[in-house]
Amino acid sequence: MKQELIRFPFQVIFKPFSSFWDLKYDNKGSMKASYLLIAFTIIAFILQKQYAGFLVNYTDPRAINSIMDIITVVIPFVLWVVANWSITTLMDGEGKFTEIVKVTAYSLTPIVIVYIPMTFISRYMAQEETAFYYLMLSIASLWFMWLLFVGIMTIHQYTVMKTIVTMVLTIIVMGIIVFLGALVLSMLQQIYDFIYNIYRELLFRT
């Protein structure tokens, strides 16, 4: 089991089509490994902000907030999974909610294996070598998007074009969810302020 936790993510990044097929039809991969990959992704971003070399790190040390780093990974992840599940349910997708979680999490593997070592390597880079740092981060990001594309296409059994349309719609739905969430929070804040002001007024008059 422990071997599978380590081996399958590396199998995914080099053989995505067969690996995601095994994930769907042979029950490969696990939720435990998915959670670990999300945790390692959060750690990778935190380490990057705190320990990347000064030539590539423009983060103000006084503005570092690990809670915000966690939120900036977890919230988009949850939004993507919920939005994709909602869209694909309407578009005859065959992927289950847990499969979308696993695919998205396993697709993060390149981020983990590139960002963490590059963070510490960047501390010893000269100015002219920083281009290599940015190149590696770009490769990791593109690799992640490629794996996510293949994974979504495989678990839902979509064509290439339908996968592209689905992913675009997923991003749009994510934006709608964020907008509605912000609207609801704003309304709740206004209701709270209204009730609180009434309470203060009554308290003052009595």
Side-chain angles (χ1 to χ4, degrees):
M1 183 64 181
K2 289 183 179 179
Q3 269 190 335
E4 190 68 19
L5 285 174
I6 299 172
R7 185 173 58 187
F8 192 67
F10 285 94
Q11 182 181 328
V12 165
I13 62 177
F14 293 114
K15 298 179 179 178
F17 287 97
S18 60
S19 298
F20 286 129
W21 182 273
D22 291 340
L23 184 149
K24 181 170 180 63
Y25 294 104
D26 293 336
N27 202 29
K28 290 288 184 72
S30 68
M31 292 300 291
K32 181 179 179 180
S34 300
Y35 297 143
L36 284 173
L37 284 166
I38 296 168
F40 283 133
T41 302
I42 293 169
I43 292 170
F45 282 110
I46 292 174
L47 291 176
Q48 183 189 40
K49 286 188 175 181
Q50 294 189 2
Y51 298 107
F54 70 93
L55 292 174
V56 296
N57 191 351
Y58 303 103
T59 304
D60 184 347
R62 296 169 297 181
I64 292 176
N65 187 336
S66 296
I67 300 299
M68 286 304 300
D69 292 329
I70 294 172
I71 291 173
T72 54
V73 173
V74 173
I75 296 300
F77 184 94
V78 173
L79 284 174
W80 169 267
V81 172
V82 171
N84 188 259
W85 176 76
S86 302
I87 288 295
T88 53
T89 299
L90 300 174
M91 297 180 66
D92 301 320
E94 297 182 14
K96 301 175 183 176
F97 187 86
T98 53
E99 291 171 350
I100 300 172
V101 172
K102 290 179 186 178
V103 161
T104 308
Y106 277 102
S107 297
L108 291 168
T109 304
I111 301 292
V112 175
I113 65 175
V114 172
Y115 272 54
I116 293 178
M118 288 307 301
T119 293
F120 293 101
I121 291 172
S122 69
R123 297 174 67 86
Y124 305 99
M125 284 183 169
Q127 180 66 54
E128 58 272 13
E129 296 170 334
T130 56
F132 175 72
Y133 172 85
Y134 293 116
L135 174 64
M136 292 303 296
L137 297 193
S138 298
I139 289 173
S141 299
L142 291 172
W143 203 349
F144 157 71
M145 289 188 284
W146 166 245
L147 293 177
L148 186 61
F149 174 80
V150 174
I152 293 299
M153 182 170 63
T154 302
I155 62 169
H156 292 302
Q157 290 297 286
Y158 283 163
T159 61
V160 171
M161 185 54 64
K162 193 170 183 179
T163 304
I164 293 171
V165 171
T166 300
M167 293 180 77
V168 171
L169 289 175
T170 298
I171 294 170
I172 293 172
V173 171
M174 287 172 67
I176 293 172
I177 292 173
V178 170
F179 173 76
L180 291 176
L183 190 63
V184 169
L185 287 175
S186 177
M187 290 177 63
L188 290 175
Q189 181 64 42
Q190 290 178 13
I191 292 171
Y192 169 80
D193 291 339
F194 176 73
I195 294 173
Y196 181 69
N197 288 332
I198 292 176
Y199 168 75
R200 287 185 61 188
E201 185 68 23
L202 291 173
L203 192 64
F204 177 75
R205 291 180 179 277
T206 57

